[in-house]
Amino acid sequence: MATTALSRREGLVQWWQLRSRAERTLLVLVATVLALTLGWLLIGQPLLQDTEQLTRQLATDRVTLTEAQRQADAIAGLAQSAPHVAASDPRAALDAVLVEQGLKGAATSIERGDNERIRLTFERITFDALTAFLDALQKSAQLRPVELVATARVEPGQVRADLTLAR
């Protein structure tokens, strides 16, 4: 085996020596161009594609970061403008919202429970009025339902609502 490799090498050296100076120069140039082309195709082109892809990803990430910062600022603004929890009587706050929403007469039962909870019953209320009432209750009185049972009535859009409210 060693002889075969040696004879091949000697054959290649002899073949190279038989070429003229111009042929050798041409062969070196062709080999150089071939090596540069292979290097470009195997290394340069993938690097260029990766660079373009990373540039596009960077632009997308910057947009995402800007949106996240905008949302963080909005959340911080909401936290600063959040109403202070009133220390007043929850029943008085509930009565004020009922009057404000025009539902004082619709409330058939209001009972004070334990742990500052209030049980409220509407025998008949429209579902839209109930959701508006709950929204106003949350914003104005800082009371929210911890339990809500809404039973459909025969009249369309009407429900019987039993609520337990707490801060």
Side-chain angles (χ1 to χ4, degrees), residues 138-150:
Q138 170 67 34
K139 289 178 181 173
S140 301
Q142 288 80 39
L143 288 170
R144 61 187 61 82
V146 291
E147 183 180 336
L148 170 73
V149 177

Side-chain angles (χ1 to χ4, degrees):
M1 271 197 155
T3 341
T4 310
L6 189 58
S7 64
R8 283 186 190 169
R9 185 180 230 194
E10 288 173 359
L12 186 60
V13 169
Q14 185 180 7
W15 177 83
W16 183 256
Q17 289 175 349
L18 290 176
R19 303 294 141 223
S20 68
R21 185 171 187 89
E23 287 178 324
R24 285 187 213 165
T25 304
L26 182 64
L27 287 171
V28 167
L29 285 175
V30 168
T32 303
V33 168
L34 185 61
L36 289 173
T37 303
L38 282 173
W40 172 253
L41 290 175
L42 296 175
I43 297 170
Q45 192 70 13
L47 284 175
L48 185 62
Q49 289 173 349
D50 287 349
T51 301
E52 290 171 358
Q53 180 184 3
L54 288 173
T55 302
R56 287 189 304 271
Q57 183 65 38
L58 179 63
T60 303
D61 289 348
R62 284 185 176 153
V63 168
T64 303
L65 177 62
T66 302
E67 178 64 19
Q69 287 173 336
R70 186 192 63 74
Q71 289 177 354
D73 291 344
I75 290 170
L78 288 174
Q80 290 174 352
S81 67
H84 182 66
V85 176
S88 66
D89 181 33
R91 173 64 192 259
L94 172 64
D95 287 339
V97 173
L98 284 169
V99 169
E100 176 186 308
Q101 295 289 314
L103 297 173
K104 184 71 172 165
T108 55
S109 169
I110 301 174
E111 301 169 5
R112 180 128 193 180
D114 59 335
N115 298 333
E116 304 250 342
R117 291 183 179 220
I118 300 172
R119 183 130 175 91
L120 174 64
T121 302
F122 291 105
E123 195 60 42
R124 175 178 300 169
I125 186 171
T126 65
F127 193 75
D128 293 339
L130 178 63
T131 56
F133 169 70
L134 292 175
D135 186 47
L137 198 61
Q138 170 67 34
K139 289 178 181 173
S140 301
Q142 288 80 39
L143 288 170
R144 61 187 61 82
V146 291
E147 183 180 336
L148 170 73
V149 177
T151 308
R153 296 189 49 86
V154 176
E155 302 89 7
Q158 296 280 323
V159 295
R160 178 184 196 282
D162 293 303
L163 299 98
T164 301
L165 304 170
R167 289 216 161 146

